[in-house]
Amino acid sequence: MGLLDNKTAIVTGSSRGIGAEVAKILAGEGAAVVVNYRQKAPRANKVVGEIQASGGRAVAVGADLTTQEGVQALASAAMEEFGSLNVLVLNASGGMESGMEEDYALKLNRDAQINMLNAAVPLMPEGSRVVFVTSHQAHFVETVPTMPEYEPVARSKRAGEDALRGLLPDLADKGISLVVVSGDMIEGTVTATLLDRSNPGAIEARRAESGKLYSVEEFAAEVAKMVTADVESGHTEYVGGADYFGKSA
């Protein structure tokens, strides 16, 4: 028996990286998983194929979460494909990509998170869980300076976290819990690669400061643990980067 047998999970931004690994872990624990992608269908289909090859259940759903249509399509897919929705992992984020409109970071990291949650909540029974994935650079942005290149993204992600926390009383009324997972820079992620490109040496410097940076797989395992962890709603799980806590005190 898996911890998530007969449960359904949506993992946003799960065609690669942390989201893909979280999707695989949750499927391994018995969940049927909705794998979300924005543009890269082959990547998402590969994740689904790996889950199915291991005996799990998954479906790939293309949805741009900055549109209401995308948000609704993703929420509906869980019910149409698997008949339930018990877990929502809000992993998708961005804002450092080139060629996006000026307010894209805020649209994705704040507005899309709230819209996705609002679309999912009416479908989620009592006992369901929402997990929001963020970074220390965003979570502590008010008290710990971050790299200038990342600051707009960090502030938009913090705005997203604050907006989600503002919904805690409404979630409590429905018996749904929210957990935030905040991690240090993660080796091998798109954000880390883009940061290192715009600020060469940034990752190496952060690794030296913190002593260790988590891999995608290691961090994904910590995110997945919070789906079933016995913690209070509103709990923040910190992964790595202990030096941040001293700076923020």
Side-chain angles (χ1 to χ4, degrees), residues 49-233:
E50 290 175 15
I51 289 171
Q52 291 173 339
S54 300
R57 295 181 298 153
V59 64
V61 177
D64 180 351
L65 303 185
T66 63
T67 70
Q68 199 56 43
E69 298 79 15
V71 164
Q72 290 298 338
L74 194 53
S76 298
M79 303 303 292
E80 290 164 6
E81 296 287 338
F82 303 119
S84 64
L85 178 55
N86 313 89
V87 175
L88 174 62
V89 180
L90 294 168
N91 166 73
S93 66
M96 292 196 69
E97 304 87 343
S98 59
M100 295 296 188
E101 65 262 46
E102 192 176 339
D103 62 345
Y104 179 72
L106 208 54
K107 282 174 71 173
L108 178 58
N109 298 330
R110 182 193 65 190
D111 302 348
Q113 310 300 319
I114 294 299
N115 292 340
M116 188 68 240
L117 181 62
N118 286 336
V121 161
L123 310 175
M124 302 176 84
E126 190 173 342
S128 295
R129 173 153 294 176
V130 179
V131 177
F132 175 66
V133 182
T134 189
S135 65
H136 293 347
Q137 288 78 14
H139 182 73
F140 291 110
V141 72
E142 300 297 340
T143 52
V144 183
T146 189
M147 286 166 280
E149 299 86 352
Y150 189 64
E151 186 167 346
V153 175
R155 291 198 177 278
S156 67
K157 282 186 72 68
R158 181 67 221 199
E161 179 182 341
D162 291 343
L164 289 166
R165 289 186 183 279
L167 297 177
L168 280 169
D170 294 338
L171 293 174
D173 288 345
K174 297 176 173 67
I176 298 171
S177 55
L178 168 71
V179 175
V180 173
V181 182
S182 178
D184 202 347
M185 259 182 218
I186 309 298
E187 301 265 17
T189 58
V190 175
T191 298
T193 302
L194 291 172
L195 265 176
D196 217 41
R197 194 175 296 159
S198 61
N199 186 352
I203 302 303
E204 186 56 50
R206 183 68 203 125
R207 191 184 300 114
E209 267 190 320
S210 64
K212 167 191 166 61
L213 296 182
Y214 277 63
S215 69
V216 167
E217 293 78 11
E218 289 170 331
F219 183 63
E222 298 301 317
V223 173
K225 277 183 198 171
M226 287 301 108
V227 169
T228 53
D230 183 13
V231 293
E232 293 287 320
S233 188

Side-chain angles (χ1 to χ4, degrees), residues 15 36-44 62-64 100:
S15 65
N36 162 239
Y37 66 95
R38 186 167 65 90
Q39 291 178 316
K40 310 289 187 184
R43 284 185 189 154
D64 180 351
M100 295 296 188

